[in-house]
Structures are given as C-alpha cells and as structure tokens.
Amino acid sequence: MNTRIRRTAVALAAAAVLPLALTACSDGGSDSAASGSSPKASASAAADDAAEGAGSSSGAGTPFGPACSAVPTTGAGSFDGMAQDPVATAASNNPALSTLVTAVKKAGLVDTLNNARDITVFAPTNDAFAKIPKDTLDKVLNDKDQLTKILTYHVVGQKLTPQDLENGSFETLEKSRLTTSGSGGSYTVDDSAKVVCGNVRTANANVYVIDSVLMPAS
C-alpha cells in the first residue's frame, strides 16, 4: 500500500512539474526573441541555412533554387548582406540583377521600393532581360510610363512565402494580377517565368529571382 501511495505521489509531482518546465521554455524563447539576436545575426543564420539548402529546399527562411549557388557567401551581395538593406539597394549589390537596377533607376522607383513595407518582388535576371530583343528593350527603357507599368507589375504588396506561391493570384502594384503555381521548390509565375532563386530576404521584402520578364496585359 505504501508503495502505491509513493508511486501516486511521484506521478502527481511529475504532472505538476511538466507545465512549469514548458512555461520556462516558452519564457526563455520570448526573452531570446525580445533581447537576443540582432538582425545581422538572424541574417547570418539565414545565410547558413541557404548554404546548406540552396537548390533543394523551400523551407521557411531558406533561399532555394539553382541560381542561389551563384550568390556570394560574404559581402553586401550575399544573403546576409541583402538582408540588411531595403530591396532596391540589395538588388544593386547583386551583379545578376544589374539590368533590373538600371530599369528601376530610369523609372524613378528606387525610393518607392526602398520605402515600401512588406512587399514581394519578382526580380528578373540580366539573362531574362536579354531574352527581349535589344531594340524593344531600349525602347521600353526610354519610355518611363511603360517601364513603370512593367516594373510595378513585378511587385506584390505583401510578403509571400513559398507556400503562398503554390496556387496563388495576387494583385500587383500595377493594379492587375499575376498568378503563381508549383511546389517543392519549383515555382512558375504567370505560366512563363521560373523562379531560379527564391525566398531571398531583404530588409523590407521577399525576393523571388525569375528567368523571364513578366508583361502585364496591355
């Protein structure tokens, strides 16, 4: 009988301690989030994740896609560096996006993009712009209204996760909608542009680098 009482007492004590332990773990996590890692440290962790998972994973916070392997591991153009800067500035530090940056400057959208909050940018690479015949591209780059219409079509006014892209339709800053589809790290925008490096974080945006320029309906 005494043995049974002792076992019951032990079980009750364990039941009482468990919630306290879970509460302590929860409180510790909150303290860490409130006072712990700096944005740079968080970006560093994201960069470490990217180095391990680039090209294969679309997990939260991890860049993915074949072009991610070309991103520098250090400096302003790295995942760590881009996470510190607003999106137009971050793009200017990535050589693969130099044509896009030129277009953004010509359209006068640098401040608009850098000052926006919680946006998603579908960023065409230099190779994407190179698919457009040179005469046509030069004409667009020198037509500010048309250029602005095209560039703002690449921007969505909310941060999109890879999961959001699986079967999505989103209003752009240009005011029409683009569509996304895919899964498992393989995503397509408007049934034409493929995401080649996605889930890239900047200070104010999520960026999905794409292999074709998106064209809004005329």
Side-chain angles (χ1 to χ4, degrees), residues 28 43 45 60 64 69-70 73-74 80 91 100 109 111 131 141 168 190 193 202:
F64 64 89
S69 61
T73 56
T74 60
D80 190 356
L100 173 62
L109 292 173
D111 289 341
K131 293 179 180 180
L141 289 174
D190 280 353
T202 73

Side-chain angles (χ1 to χ4, degrees), residues 140-203:
V140 170
L141 289 174
N142 288 292
D143 183 339
K144 187 173 180 179
D145 289 343
Q146 180 67 10
L147 184 59
T148 299
K149 180 179 177 70
I150 292 171
L151 292 176
T152 52
Y153 182 68
H154 289 73
V155 184
V156 172
Q158 65 187 92
K159 284 188 175 181
L160 302 178
T161 67
Q163 289 70 32
D164 292 328
L165 303 186
E166 290 181 0
N167 184 22
S169 175
F170 308 100
E171 184 176 9
T172 69
L173 295 194
E174 185 267 335
K175 299 304 182 186
S176 58
R177 300 184 77 84
L178 59 75
T179 61
T180 60
S181 60
S183 63
S186 178
Y187 299 94
T188 303
V189 187
D190 280 353
D191 295 324
S192 60
K194 295 186 181 302
V195 174
V196 293
C197 184
N199 211 22
V200 178
R201 307 301 178 89
T202 73

Side-chain angles (χ1 to χ4, degrees), residues 104-116:
V104 168
K105 289 178 178 177
K106 281 181 171 290
L109 292 173
V110 172
D111 289 341
T112 298
L113 293 177
N114 276 349
N115 293 328

Side-chain angles (χ1 to χ4, degrees), residues 79-119:
F79 292 123
D80 190 356
M82 286 188 286
Q84 309 305 310
D85 293 319
V87 64
T89 302
S92 71
N93 293 320
N94 187 327
L97 301 177
S98 60
T99 306
L100 173 62
V101 171
T102 297
V104 168
K105 289 178 178 177
K106 281 181 171 290
L109 292 173
V110 172
D111 289 341
T112 298
L113 293 177
N114 276 349
N115 293 328
R117 290 174 175 264
D118 297 334
I119 59 175

Side-chain angles (χ1 to χ4, degrees), residues 126-141:
N126 295 344
D127 289 342
F129 281 99
K131 293 179 180 180
I132 302 172
K134 187 177 185 304
D135 289 348
T136 301
L137 180 59
D138 288 344
K139 183 178 179 180
V140 170
L141 289 174

